[in-house]
Amino acid sequence: MQRLFVGIGSHQGDDQVGWLIVEQLKRRGNIAADFRIISKPLDLLDILDNCEELILVDAADGCENDMVYFWKWPTTDISSPVSRGTHGFGLVEALILADELRLLPTNVIIVGIPVNQFAALQPIQSKTVASIEKFVSTLEATYA
Amino acid sequence: MSESSSKKRQIHVPILTRVEGEGALNIVLNQKSIERVELNIYEPPRFFEAFLRGRSHNEVADITARICGICPIAYQMTAVQAIESAWGIEIPVSVQRLRRLMYLAEWIESHGLHIHLLHAPDFFGCDSGLELAKHNPQAVQRGLKLKKIGNHTLEILGGRAIHPISLAVGGFYRLPRPEELHALIEDFQWGLQASIEIARWVGGFEFPDFHSPTTYVALQSQLEYAIMSGNVASSDGRLLATTDYEDAFNEEHVSHSTALHSRRKGSEEPYQVGPLARIHLNYDLLCPTAKRIAEELKWRLPTFNPFHSIIARALELIQAFEEGLEIIKTFQPSGKARQDYQPVEGRGCSITEAPRGLIYHRYDLDSDGKVKTAKIVPPTSQNQRQIEQDLYEALPTLLDFDDAYVAQNCEKLIRNYDPCISCSTHFLKVRRIHKKD
């Protein structure tokens, strides 16, 4: 496995957008990569064997709508909300741990998808669903 | 973080660290006396018992799994067993063993994570699992490998690791093939050796000399280390059937928490569920290796030191791997994956042992198999009063220290229980207010 796309999310409202985007990328088959989805950021450390490039797709709160954001790790431009992630190990903490344990590949990109609704057991908003195609196309244009 | 006056001292930890979910700690001291100790749970209640009303029995496992991302199997298993009890569905032994393996996999994942990333750092003066990883990367990697094995086992048995989908009322939607399970043998053999190493590691930790009285409550069985069935036993000698749980235990609102507090009826004293309770009430049924290692560590029961919960979790890891290996090696599919059944109007309940302790589900179902009412009591809401008591016990020894030291040691006490705050915020009763015209 060389390039790995990982969608991170949960069933809380728009927080599943990372899953949906990665699943759509896999279905369309326009990018040569492996594709996985996870709910707990610490699960990331289980799937990095033989990974040379890691692209993480996650919902991002606090961004302008309709734009896909790219951050190259390491970065201090993002943080994990306290309430998300497992036992306080949000995405940032999981990446720091993976770095410390020398599990990360040299190229790690975090892709932020702007959303603002994270209520438990709420469905993803229709406007977010409508934007998935655009976000997928942006990622295909970048990585195909 | 604190305000000091000549008389009152308040110590507030706004966000507890290395626990699942959002909670705070509020301590108010009046000179040398403790005025108030509150575990403030402020996560919003999730209203799952209301969501379940009107839902088909086939949806209950999927819905309840979403109460907790850490222990979905505990919720799913207790839910399907409760419905099966309402309709008299008998699960064949071979399917029960697979369910038990599934549950053990969740213990492996949960205990492995808690020991290495959340609890052990406290014994090394580390602020976090990240800091422990700098000093002892091998230990942290071992914990992560345990989590991976648990996840992988759940993928095979459950169809996926994120909210598994194969558990069904009556059995499974699909049984694994023997070769799928046999592929786990090497991992489980590694896990068994690793668990022995972990038990010896934690057995050598320096434990605070702390004692907090408690009554242990757990499932107890005559046949096996109780996880999925049994009677509800207490260390004060009481024993009751699962069906009598609501006659003996109650939940109540407290003003400082969105999570309900559990209480034994007729008693003001708290009780404790979880690994320490299970070990106390089922010690004789631990697997041979776990008992051998407990003897080797010279770990004596009873203990009322909640810091010893890390030893209990380590011994349960040995239990999970030794028993899991036996189930995997001897698995032979026979019969149907799922038993036939006929919904009828009725009530069913079940109790199982989630990684954090006893969990209770009760469902009232209509003749179409839809849920009329549901009651779910998670383990963490049962431990909250005990946690507050531990804090009351500990604080007199901490009062001469500064607020940061007090807060840090109180958090360590809370982490002994591996609280899952997200689970505990599950329910509020709505009181109807009649307005006068």
Side-chain angles (χ1 to χ4, degrees), chain A residues 26-41:
Chain A
K26 181 178 180 180
R27 267 195 293 275
R28 282 158 62 130
N30 293 325
I31 300 176
D34 283 334
F35 301 88
R36 297 286 296 264
I37 61 169
I38 61 174
S39 64
K40 303 190 281 284

Side-chain angles (χ1 to χ4, degrees), chain B residues 149-190:
Chain B
I149 293 171
N151 257 351
H152 184 46
T153 307
L154 286 176
E155 277 180 358
I156 291 172
L157 287 166
R160 66 186 190 198
I162 302 174
H163 302 312
I165 50 176
S166 73
L167 203 55
V169 172
F172 284 89
Y173 287 109
R174 173 194 175 268
L175 291 177
R177 293 186 301 276
E179 56 269 27
E180 287 180 299
L181 281 193
H182 293 160
L184 291 167
I185 288 175
E186 198 175 314
D187 275 344
F188 269 67
Q189 284 170 336
W190 176 90

